[in-house]
Amino acid sequence: AILTMLVDTIVNRKYAYDAIQKIDWTLILMFMGLFVWLDGFQKTCFPELLFNKLRPYMNLNKIGGVLLFAVFIIVGSNIFSNVPLVILFVKRINELCGEEPCSGPLAGLLLAWVSTVAGNFTLIGSVANLIVAEKARQTANYKLTFW
């Protein structure tokens, strides 16, 4: 981003200060904090313990396993937000097809689709929802509520 601003300054003979003023620093800090928190949470081993407890029941080759997986992702997405939840579990997604690793992209596509849809259920389900709510409050003086 800094290199782009430098090129823009040179090519268009504009000062980078104008572009820097338009950056939403609170949003950048929120993302930084989110990923620092996520790294710390992952180091607690709680996500791994939870995944290991549920893994035998979330076999994606069986309809019951797919339903449990979907419920887990929906609930988790609305507690942690969808992107952090995906980051926590995407590395282990291929372990959910029973004794053999999942063949093809089915598990990853299911995770992507369910977490994307789940992110639209509540305001905290997706960071994008929070961004839109904050911009609506700032520009249109409209306050979105949790539900």
Side-chain angles (χ1 to χ4, degrees):
I2 294 173
L3 181 63
T4 304
M5 288 186 342
L6 180 63
V7 170
D8 185 49
T9 299
I10 293 169
V11 172
N12 294 322
R13 297 183 185 173
K14 292 182 180 179
Y15 292 108
Y17 181 76
D18 296 333
I20 290 173
Q21 279 187 317
K22 294 178 183 178
I23 295 173
D24 189 346
W25 294 104
T26 57
L27 183 63
I28 290 173
L29 285 174
M30 184 197 70
F31 272 105
M32 288 172 53
L34 176 70
F35 290 113
V36 167
W37 174 86
L38 184 63
D39 183 58
F41 183 67
Q42 196 162 18
K43 288 179 181 175
T44 67
C45 298
F46 178 74
E48 186 172 340
L49 290 171
L50 181 62
F51 184 84
N52 288 338
K53 289 282 186 191
L54 293 176
R55 181 178 49 196
Y57 308 105
M58 291 194 296
N59 186 338
L60 298 181
N61 290 325
K62 298 179 180 175
I63 190 69
V66 171
L67 290 174
L68 179 62
F69 175 76
V71 168
F72 174 73
I73 297 300
I74 290 168
V75 171
S77 289
N78 287 286
I79 293 173
F80 299 110
S81 195
N82 60 355
V83 172
L85 184 77
V86 168
I87 290 171
L88 287 173
F89 293 107
V90 71
K91 294 176 186 170
R92 306 214 33 214
I93 193 75
N94 282 331
E95 298 175 25
L96 297 178
C97 290
E99 299 297 319
E100 300 176 14
C102 297
S103 60
L106 175 64
L109 289 172
L110 186 62
L111 174 64
W113 184 79
V114 173
S115 65
T116 299
V117 171
N120 293 314
F121 288 162
T122 63
L123 192 55
I124 62 168
S126 173
V127 174
N129 296 348
L130 296 174
I131 294 168
V132 169
E134 179 62 19
K135 292 299 176 187
R137 186 188 64 76
Q138 288 175 353
T139 58
N141 200 21
Y142 184 78
K143 185 176 180 183
L144 296 171
T145 62
F146 182 74
W147 301 102

